[in-house]
Amino acid sequence: MSSPEILRLSPSRVSEFENCPQLYKYRVIDQLPQPPSLDAERGTLVHTILHDLFESPAIERTPQTAIDLLPSRWRAQLDAKPDLAAMVSDEKEWLDRAQSLIQTYFTLENPTTFEATHRELHLENDFDSNIYLHGYVDRLDVAPSGEVRIIDYKTGKAPKPGWEEKALFQLRVYALLYFKTNNVLPKLLQLIYLGDAKTVKNSPTLSDLEATEKILKRVARDIFSSTEKDYWPPKPSRLCDWCYFKNICPAHTD
Ligand code: SF4
């Protein structure tokens, strides 16, 4: 198998390959279809509401405004993915859970006190002659002082102590992309975990970004090498219990 001329990398693609090259192959190389996951769809709904909340003037960005968005945004999601209706057996419970996550958001930030400069911002960079790096940032705020913070919302729980660095990788890639495009080092990276009302914050340094760049280049080399050899070893872990491809994966079928 020949290597792709240009490798498209994003933080999620990097994590996928690092977690399990076989899973990366199923998703990226073979492009096998996967049914929607309820957790991912709930995440999409909550992200949509937190995105649209900032359409309102600052003073109106209250919990009630956000909750009022729920029915229409959920209907739009159902229109786009009709299969979802059959997957959600108890719609009230589903919407209650989404509402609870939204209410948690307001315990962690007060959106009436700042402006979201960018939401769902696409950052991209021709990272190397054969690597295109990109990602979508949930929110990027530029303060009047010019300081930049990058925010990502998670509907799950915060990582256990000792795992924060791994969780921050995604935001460091965004910081690197922003730095390469604007020559501004973001002041703050912030992960907001709505599952347990926690945040993980970090102020990146230039050496953090250099280390992130090295990781990206190493992973890109590994992907090129795997592609050339058509070698995608499965890497069994507790993630297998959530993996849609478990019933065809050689680690579980041989
Ligand atoms: S079942 Fe486990 S080892 Fe197999 S592809 Fe999925 S994550 Fe990888």
Side-chain angles (χ1 to χ4, degrees):
M1 188 181 279
S2 60
S3 293
E5 277 176 22
I6 303 287
L7 177 65
R8 287 174 67 87
L9 266 193
S10 64
S12 55
R13 289 289 178 245
V14 169
S15 302
E16 240 159 35
F17 183 80
E18 292 281 84
N19 286 336
C20 177
Q22 178 73 72
L23 179 59
Y24 177 92
K25 177 178 187 284
Y26 288 144
R27 284 190 179 154
V28 182
I29 308 292
D30 300 342
Q31 300 193 359
L32 296 183
Q34 271 186 269
S37 115
L38 277 182
D39 282 344
E41 293 299 328
R42 188 185 284 111
T44 300
L45 178 59
V46 171
H47 276 73
T48 302
I49 287 163
L50 294 180
H51 175 280
D52 293 354
L53 177 68
F54 285 91
E55 304 284 343
S56 297
I59 196 162
E60 291 173 19
R61 291 178 207 141
T62 61
Q64 194 56 52
T65 300
I67 289 163
D68 288 347
L69 293 171
L70 249 180
S72 60
R73 300 320 188 257
W74 173 230
R75 270 195 308 277
Q77 201 166 331
L78 281 175
D79 287 347
K81 289 188 187 168
D83 291 355
L84 259 182
M87 292 172 65
V88 176
S89 51
D90 184 339
E91 192 176 49
K92 182 178 179 315
E93 193 239 315
W94 163 265
L95 291 173
D96 283 351
R97 178 68 186 136
Q99 179 170 323
S100 153
L101 292 166
I102 290 162
Q103 281 167 326
T104 300
Y105 167 73
F106 286 88
T107 67
L108 298 168
E109 280 197 320
N110 179 355
T112 64
T113 60
F114 63 89
E115 291 301 327
T117 316
H118 301 284
R119 289 159 289 150
E120 278 295 307
L121 176 65
H122 187 223
L123 294 173
E124 59 183 346
N125 183 260
D126 290 327
F127 186 59
D128 212 337
S129 57
N130 55 358
I131 305 169
Y132 166 81
L133 179 66
H134 79 124
Y136 288 89
V137 178
D138 283 346
R139 208 181 80 216
L140 188 147
D141 305 334
V142 183
S145 62
E147 288 180 345
V148 170
R149 67 175 172 181
I150 295 180
I151 312 289
D152 196 73
Y153 309 119
K154 306 285 186 197
T155 43
K157 293 183 177 174
K160 293 197 167 63
W163 290 87
E164 295 91 345
E165 282 298 299
K166 197 167 185 233
L168 281 165
F169 175 76
Q170 174 194 12
L171 294 196
R172 292 214 176 106
V173 173
Y174 297 156
L176 176 65
L177 281 165
Y178 191 81
F179 180 72
K180 280 183 175 287
T181 311
N182 301 283
N183 204 25
V184 172
L185 178 66
K187 177 84 177 161
L188 183 68
L189 309 178
Q190 188 170 335
L191 290 156
I192 296 183
Y193 290 93
L194 303 175
D196 55 1
K198 290 186 179 158
T199 57
V200 172
K201 297 182 185 183
N202 175 263
S203 291
T205 62
L206 280 177
S207 60
D208 287 336
L209 299 196
E210 280 163 18
T212 303
E213 188 157 4
K214 273 189 192 151
I215 293 171
L216 288 165
K217 288 191 172 163
R218 195 260 304 153
V219 174
R221 275 198 307 276
D222 290 349
I223 295 176
F224 279 125
S225 165
S226 266
T227 309
E228 234 168 77
K229 297 178 197 152
D230 197 14
Y231 177 63
W232 309 98
K235 202 165 155 185
S237 71
R238 59 192 178 85
L239 292 178
C240 296
D241 289 339
W242 289 277
C243 179
Y244 178 67
F245 304 108
K246 192 174 176 182
N247 61 349
I248 57 166
C249 170
H252 298 276
T253 54
D254 284 356

